[in-house]
Amino acid sequence: MQRTLLGNQKFDQLFSEDGGTILNSQEKKKFLQQYCTAEQEEQRLDREIQRWKSRVQRTDFDYHTLQFPASHDSTLEYAVQQIKNMTIQLILQRSKLVALRQSIGAAINSLSDSRLRELLRLRYIEGMTWEAISEYMNYSYMQINRLHNKALTELNM
């Protein structure tokens, strides 16, 4: 069986037919990290759209108060088109986030130990640092690392 992990692959497709493990710990971490990475991209796109909207608003204001050559219309149209294109990308990114959240949530929820589920949720869904997780869960940094390794081992992927 192939041991690669595709970004758009559903959680239930990661299991082998005999229920055995098909991913090693590094591959499991890569799978779990996809959500935070996708969320960061969604936030980047949103910031970029806001920058373009600000440019359009400034250009539109200037356009209505001053006389510009005809080429100004194409500049405004270009900015509006950029916003439309990025908005489409943002919508697609948000759809990807929903699918990843469901897949990663299903993987995390497959663990029987609530501490391990909480640890993985805090790290891979909430994006918390190991230090913050350690403080939040009231465990030492080393204990958090041991629990994380245990959680990855127990994920049946």
Side-chain angles (χ1 to χ4, degrees), residues 29-43 93 97 100-101 104 120-128:
K29 282 196 284 190
K30 185 177 178 179
F31 170 72
L32 294 169
Q33 289 169 338
Q34 291 178 97
Y35 182 78
C36 285
T37 303
E39 192 170 58
Q40 289 168 354
E41 176 63 11
E42 184 256 354
Q43 292 168 0
Q93 187 66 28
L97 272 173
L100 281 171
R101 177 62 180 88
I104 292 168
L120 294 183
R121 186 188 63 75
L122 292 171
R123 178 64 178 181
Y124 297 108
I125 301 296
E126 301 298 326
M128 290 175 66

Side-chain angles (χ1 to χ4, degrees), residues 66-105:
L66 304 170
Q67 294 295 322
F68 285 97
S71 65
H72 179 73
D73 287 337
S74 64
T75 303
L76 186 57
E77 288 174 17
Y78 174 76
V80 170
Q81 188 59 47
Q82 289 297 106
I83 292 170
K84 286 180 182 178
N85 292 342
M86 284 185 284
T87 300
I88 291 168
Q89 289 178 7
L90 183 60
I91 290 167
L92 294 173
Q93 187 66 28
R94 286 180 176 160
S95 295
K96 179 180 178 181
L97 272 173
V98 169
L100 281 171
R101 177 62 180 88
Q102 290 172 342
S103 295
I104 292 168

Side-chain angles (χ1 to χ4, degrees), residues 1 14-20 22:
M1 177 172 281
L14 297 173
F15 291 103
S16 65
E17 290 181 20
D18 64 357
I22 62 169

Side-chain angles (χ1 to χ4, degrees), residues 122-137:
L122 292 171
R123 178 64 178 181
Y124 297 108
I125 301 296
E126 301 298 326
M128 290 175 66
T129 65
W130 293 120
E131 292 81 8
I133 294 169
S134 174
E135 186 176 318
Y136 180 84
M137 294 184 73

